[in-house]
């Protein structure tokens, strides 16, 4: 056996003299990985401040890589402060944990992202925080549910799966009048379709918080989980930032770098996903197998007028659902989905591969919707394949599994 004292002195591999050159510039940001960061002196350690990003104190509090990603996401969404979390769902949960206490109530749209409802029904309920679901297409229903215990109202535009686009400025106005904070799940709009912090384009109507599943379009690869929480009010940001710190939430440097590398192409990708989704939605509108196309940019779809008013960019995400005719059994619809070759069966969206999921909408809703037809729902997210190839795939699966009446 070797005497441990025989091992060579490798201190030079640890305390190396090399410093990165100050003059080095390149298109992409470096991957700065750290738990520990150094302080030159104890005095410096004691006075360093991380909450305003003026310095570095610990990896969990931020690195050059995460600070730069936060700044760029603020530029994308028109916010001033940003907190990064390990998933989109963690963004929703962090907002709730930062702002709510026992006895408070939150309101969620009935068509909210399912796991956000599960959080309200699970942990929040266990902590003595109650919730109600409101009909996002009826601002009066929201108003009727606002009460002295309401602390936070979630907004989603459009809603998950059924894709109704609400009158977002009106919902925000109702909450404002009541003095209640608004938090928007901004994953669909992604900072591109509309401006969450300037909904009407006149600087007069803004949500308080924008939560974004960066997992979707900012990542763009179907390979990274991350979320952001963006605000414009410093006191509100600090509340969220301190909760974030106490919960010990952080993101990996390589993941942050992946999102940074994808961000410059988000506008091009979003527009491409949008174009393809609209071509497919248009095709579905001509099929007798389909009783309703649920895509807010399609005339006649629930909330189309609200989409036009708020999404003045004319853009929409590459995400839509179709309600198939009630004459089809769930087994037939499942066989149709199984029969698709280019569309992969899987959750999430925003990557290069088109995805499809059949949803049992009835079991996901508490309130009756007057706007969504009866039938069996299938949700599509378009990837970056050609629209023609995707249409051929839909056609072959339909011919095989959805017989015309
Ligand atoms: C995907 C998604 C989330 C959650 O994002 P994850 O990173 O998967 O946790 C939240 N809200 C919406 C609307 C989403 O589509």
């Amino acid at each position: 056996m070797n005497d441990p004292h025989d091992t060579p002195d490798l201190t030079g591999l640890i305390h190396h003299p090399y410093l990165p050159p100050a003059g080095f510039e390149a298109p992409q940001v470096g991957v700065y990985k750290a738990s520990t960061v150094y302080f030159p002196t104890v005095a410096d350690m004691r006075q360093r401040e991380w909450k305003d990003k003026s310095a570095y104190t610990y990896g969990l509090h931020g690195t050059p890589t995460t600070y730069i990603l936060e700044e760029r996401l603020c530029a994308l969404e028109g916010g001033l402060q940003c907190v990064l979390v390990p998933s989109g769902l963690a963004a929703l949960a962090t907002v709730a944990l930062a702002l709510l206490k026992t006895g408070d109530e939150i309101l969620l749209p009935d068509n909210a992202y399912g796991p956000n409802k599960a959080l309200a029904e699970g942990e929040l309920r266990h902590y003595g925080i109650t919730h109600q679901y409101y009909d996002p297409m009826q601002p009066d229903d929201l108003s009727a549910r606002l009460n002295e215990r309401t602390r936070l109202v979630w907004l989603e535009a459009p809603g998950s799966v059924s894709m109704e686009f609400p009158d977002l400025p009106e919902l925000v106005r109702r909450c404002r009048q009541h003095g209640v904070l608004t938090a928007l799940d901004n994953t669909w709009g992604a900072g591109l379709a509309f401006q969450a912090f300037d909904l009407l384009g006149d600087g007069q109507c803004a949500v308080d918080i924008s939560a974004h599943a960066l997992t979707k379009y900012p990542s763009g690869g179907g390979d990274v989980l991350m979320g952001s929480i963006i605000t414009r009010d410093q006191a509100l940001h600090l509340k969220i930032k301190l909760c974030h710190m106490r919960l010990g939430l952080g993101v990996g440097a390589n993941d942050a770098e992946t999102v940074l590398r994808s961000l410059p192409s988000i506008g091009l990708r979003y527009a491409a996903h949008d174009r393809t989704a609209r071509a497919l939605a248009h095709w579905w509108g001509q099929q007798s197998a389909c009783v309703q196309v649920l895509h807010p940019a399609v005339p006649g779809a629930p909330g189309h007028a609200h989409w036009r008013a708020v999404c003045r960019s004319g853009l929409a995400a590459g995400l839509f659902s179709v309600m198939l005719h009630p004459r089809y059994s769930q087994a037939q619809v499942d066989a149709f989905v199984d029969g698709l070759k280019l569309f992969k069966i899987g959750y999430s969206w925003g990557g290069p591969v088109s995805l499809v999921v059949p949803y049992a909408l009835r079991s996901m809703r508490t309130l009756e919707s007057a706007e969504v037809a009866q039938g069996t729902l299938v949700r599509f997210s378009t990837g970056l394949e050609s629209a023609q190839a995707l249409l051929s795939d839909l056609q072959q699966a339909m011919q095989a599994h959805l017989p015309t009446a």
Side-chain angles (χ1 to χ4, degrees):
M1 233 180 84
N2 281 344
D3 181 339
H5 297 288
D6 288 346
T7 52
D9 184 342
L10 299 180
T11 305
L13 297 186
I14 300 162
H15 291 262
H16 52 81
Y18 180 78
L19 289 174
F24 181 75
E25 285 188 71
Q28 299 304 334
V29 177
V31 182
Y32 292 90
K33 305 182 93 163
S35 46
T36 299
V37 300
Y38 297 155
F39 305 94
T41 63
V42 173
D44 181 90
M45 183 182 81
R46 289 190 179 133
Q47 74 188 30
R48 270 205 206 179
E49 180 51 74
W50 55 272
K51 293 192 229 43
D52 62 0
K53 296 191 202 176
S54 63
Y56 303 97
T57 49
Y58 189 56
L60 209 44
H61 305 161
T63 65
T65 309
T66 59
Y67 282 1
I68 289 167
L69 178 54
E70 288 169 3
E71 292 305 312
R72 293 197 181 169
L73 291 167
C74 284
L76 174 68
E77 295 199 35
L80 294 177
Q81 308 93 6
C82 176
V83 171
L84 295 173
V85 289
S87 70
L89 182 53
L92 307 178
T94 303
V95 168
L97 293 179
L99 302 178
L100 302 172
K101 61 179 189 326
T102 302
D104 290 345
E105 181 161 287
I106 63 164
L107 301 182
L108 298 107
D110 198 32
N111 57 9
Y113 178 67
N116 203 13
K117 294 174 96 171
L119 173 71
E121 291 164 16
E123 276 63 23
L124 297 189
R125 190 201 296 263
H126 298 159
Y127 301 154
I129 297 158
T130 60
H131 65 274
Q132 289 189 56
Y133 299 125
Y134 68 91
D135 181 343
M137 304 307 282
Q138 305 287 339
D140 286 344
D141 185 63
L142 170 71
S143 289
R145 294 174 194 276
L146 287 166
N147 62 67
E148 69 284 351
R149 292 198 300 113
T150 317
R151 288 292 167 274
L152 177 70
V153 173
W154 275 104
L155 305 163
E156 223 174 300
S160 276
V161 180
S162 47
M163 310 297 293
E164 308 98 319
F165 206 100
D167 186 348
L168 212 43
E170 180 62 17
L171 295 177
V172 168
R173 205 172 61 77
R174 304 279 179 119
C175 295
R176 273 275 145 82
Q177 277 174 350
H178 203 84
V180 170
L181 286 173
T182 52
L184 171 76
D185 184 326
N186 201 14
T187 306
W188 181 94
L192 295 163
F194 62 90
Q195 290 303 308
F197 296 105
D198 187 10
L199 289 168
L200 295 169
D202 60 2
Q204 297 300 306
C205 187
V207 302
D208 295 302
I209 299 162
S210 166
H212 191 165
L214 307 177
T215 305
K216 310 293 167 52
Y217 291 123
S219 147
D223 55 354
V224 170
L225 288 155
M226 202 180 292
S228 60
I229 305 162
I230 295 188
T231 48
R232 289 185 62 85
D233 179 86
Q234 182 60 26
L236 181 59
H237 166 68
L238 206 54
K239 240 180 174 174
I240 296 167
K241 180 82 186 163
L242 286 170
C243 174
H244 173 262
M245 195 244 329
R246 290 189 290 255
L247 291 174
L249 300 172
V251 302
N254 288 323
D255 285 347
E257 191 262 354
T258 302
V259 177
L260 276 166
R261 199 173 190 285
S262 293
L263 270 188
S265 65
I266 190 173
L268 296 171
R269 289 184 284 107
Y270 195 89
H273 291 293
D274 181 11
R275 263 196 311 280
T276 305
R278 287 210 223 182
L280 302 194
H282 177 76
W283 178 85
W284 272 112
Q286 298 169 329
Q287 308 306 310
S288 65
C290 169
V291 291
Q292 192 177 26
V293 176
L294 298 163
H295 184 313
V298 169
H304 174 64
H306 301 313
W307 169 80
R308 284 178 70 98
V310 167
C311 298
R312 291 175 304 280
S313 65
L315 288 167
L319 190 72
F320 68 98
S321 296
V322 295
M323 195 60 88
L324 297 178
H325 199 285
R327 70 173 172 262
Y328 299 118
S329 67
Q330 186 68 55
Q332 278 177 302
V333 173
D334 291 354
F336 161 74
V337 170
D338 284 340
L340 292 164
K341 295 185 169 75
L342 291 179
F343 288 91
K344 298 296 178 190
I345 302 164
Y347 294 117
S348 203
W349 38 280
V353 175
S354 292
L355 298 172
V356 59
V357 180
Y359 280 98
L361 190 64
R362 289 204 81 109
S363 66
M364 299 163 66
R365 299 285 181 261
T366 306
L367 311 171
E368 276 301 321
S369 167
E371 320 235 359
V372 178
Q374 299 295 316
T376 305
L377 186 145
V378 180
R379 189 188 74 178
F380 296 93
S381 99
T382 51
L384 295 172
E385 306 92 337
S386 79
Q388 198 45 57
L390 294 172
L391 278 174
S392 300
D393 193 25
L394 291 173
Q395 266 156 350
Q396 65 78 22
M398 177 179 276
Q399 263 158 25
H401 302 287
L402 298 178
T404 46

